Amino acid sequence: MTSIMPPPVDVKGVEFIEFAASEEEAQSLGALIAQLGFQPVAQHRRKAVTRWRQGDINLVMNCEPEGLAHNFDAVHGASVCAIGLRVRDVPAALARAAALRIPRYEQAVRPDEMQIPSVRGVGGSLVYFIEDGTEESVWSHEFTAGAREAPATHALGLLRTDHIAQTMQYEEFLSWLLYYVALFDVAKTPLLEIADTLGLVQSQAVESPDRSLRVTLNGSMAAQTLSSRFLQHYMGAGVQHIAFNTADVFAAASAARANGLPVLAIPRNYYDDLEARFGLDAELVERMAGLNILYDRDGTAEYFQFYSRAFAKRLFFEVVQRRGYQAYGAANATIRLAAQARFKP
């Protein structure tokens, strides 16, 4: 009798992004997250795990002295160790993963703790599955309201996770692309080659039908590109940057400045070229230049973006505003990479 392969996993959104960190690095990473306008809103009932929130975005800081997060931090330093996805059918998602021989992960939990189903992802990280519509019951069961005091900062008006960028060895690129396409209900965008100052980077995104899950995959054969240096410093594949969506990028950038967020500086000649290339209003260009905001356009659709500087050479953040634009600002990637190459932390 032939078994029926369960359908691709129907993802309804990114529920959380989990960071593994030592107590020391959690302080500096937490300061950066606070500068992005996040606030610590809850603490795990028994573990050294804090929930940070803004809009529909949940960031989890795991400082447990043992377990997967601790081991992940020991290898990679403070970094993303797990992504939690809301899915329509958790048992079907696990069955699909099992049929594809994707390893499941289970860790020891106390009798009163929840075992949130998870499978292995890129670079030994985890992908958690949470039944869509049950997320608040999960948070209330595992976390208690109130957390440690955070610096008083302005919210940036961040709404949701826009996309997650993962970097891997060039030889792994097709394998991880297949992982996403085989496991999830996603489509591939066209493959791009992006010019780093020291070589080419291959980049491709996968997107769910409603784009609530967007993951960009990046790999390079050149040893000195930013992607390759990330792999060398990070010791493996993983999340290199996270983009958050906002409805007002100028307000977000102004709040970020007030919070003291270290923003990636964009050279003035980029804005001179931008004004000439798109025929933009000079006042708009000056506003973007003053806040280090990059811009792209596809027909009438517009894309605004700015970046933080990298945390410990491992991770950086992006804030984007989409006005009907569905790509990822690839035209700006070379400018961003050159700006990051100039920045010496």
Side-chain angles (χ1 to χ4, degrees):
M1 182 177 178
T2 304
S3 60
I4 299 174
M5 171 72 81
V9 179
D10 183 4
V11 178
K12 297 303 183 183
V14 176
E15 181 58 23
F16 67 84
I17 298 170
E18 181 176 352
F19 297 89
S22 66
E23 286 287 353
E24 181 181 358
E25 282 198 306
Q27 294 296 318
S28 51
L29 180 55
L32 180 61
I33 289 172
Q35 289 170 327
L36 283 160
F38 289 88
Q39 289 293 317
V41 296
Q43 191 71 32
H44 195 278
R45 295 181 185 278
R46 286 161 297 278
K47 299 177 180 177
V49 181
T50 306
R51 177 191 183 189
W52 295 69
R53 188 169 190 180
Q54 184 174 183
D56 288 335
I57 309 162
N58 292 290
L59 304 181
V60 174
M61 189 82 73
N62 190 329
C63 302
E64 276 292 281
E66 57 185 22
L68 180 133
H70 172 74
N71 295 336
F72 203 89
D73 173 61
V75 174
H76 303 291
S79 52
V80 175
C81 65
I83 298 169
L85 301 177
R86 297 192 308 277
V87 302
R88 186 181 61 82
D89 188 335
V90 170
L94 293 172
R96 177 83 177 183
L100 293 168
R101 302 293 190 269
I102 296 173
R104 185 168 175 181
Y105 179 79
E106 292 187 4
Q107 57 187 338
V109 296
R110 296 184 180 185
D112 57 342
E113 292 179 346
M114 297 181 72
Q115 180 74 261
I116 303 176
S118 62
V119 297
R120 291 288 185 175
V122 173
S125 63
L126 299 182
V127 177
Y128 286 97
F129 297 133
I130 298 175
E131 195 90 22
D132 188 43
T134 69
E135 56 273 13
E136 285 309 317
S137 65
V138 173
W139 288 116
S140 61
H141 186 278
E142 294 294 296
F143 287 76
T144 181
R148 64 179 178 80
E149 204 170 312
T153 56
H154 305 278
L156 270 64
L158 305 183
L159 303 173
R160 65 190 67 86
T161 300
D162 187 88
H163 62 274
I164 298 169
Q166 296 181 318
T167 298
M168 58 219 49
Q169 296 286 352
Y170 181 82
E171 296 80 7
E172 298 178 300
F173 186 91
L174 291 179
S175 295
W176 287 116
L177 180 63
L178 179 60
Y179 172 93
Y180 281 105
V181 173
L183 180 57
F184 299 103
D185 180 13
V186 293
K188 297 181 290 184
T189 64
L191 179 67
L192 299 175
E193 284 192 338
I194 296 169
D196 191 308
T197 53
L198 295 169
L200 292 176
V201 178
Q202 183 171 272
S203 182
Q204 191 163 21
V206 293
E207 305 173 336
S208 60
D210 64 357
R211 297 189 174 93
S212 61
L213 174 66
R214 304 182 199 235
V215 179
T216 61
L217 307 178
N218 304 285
S220 176
M221 292 183 67
Q224 293 303 313
T225 61
L226 186 68
S227 294
S228 295
R229 282 181 283 133
F230 163 80
L231 294 171
Q232 294 160 15
H233 182 78
Y234 182 75
M235 297 184 65
V239 172
Q240 188 179 21
H241 95 257
I242 303 167
F244 301 119
N245 184 275
T246 182
D248 188 339
V249 72
F250 292 98
S254 296
R257 172 175 288 178
N259 290 343
L261 178 73
V263 172
L264 187 66
I266 305 301
R268 177 67 215 194
N269 62 344
Y270 166 79
Y271 295 98
D272 296 335
D273 176 70
L274 201 65
E275 185 174 359
R277 186 154 50 101
F278 290 111
L280 296 175
D281 180 77
E283 184 179 347
L284 173 62
V285 174
E286 287 302 317
R287 286 185 71 197
M288 288 191 288
L291 293 167
N292 293 294
I293 295 171
L294 297 106
Y295 175 87
D296 193 28
R297 188 167 71 198
D298 182 7
T300 60
E302 296 179 298
Y303 190 64
F304 300 84
Q305 54 186 153
F306 69 89
Y307 294 90
S308 77
R309 292 178 184 172
F311 169 78
K313 299 182 181 180
R314 288 193 290 272
L315 177 74
F316 59 95
F317 297 93
E318 177 185 2
V319 176
V320 310
Q321 181 182 357
R322 297 178 180 273
R323 296 178 179 174
Y325 183 101
Q326 297 303 336
Y328 298 89
N332 293 323
T334 300
I335 301 296
R336 187 259 298 173
L337 289 164
Q340 287 175 316
R342 284 192 296 271
F343 169 62
K344 302 297 182 184

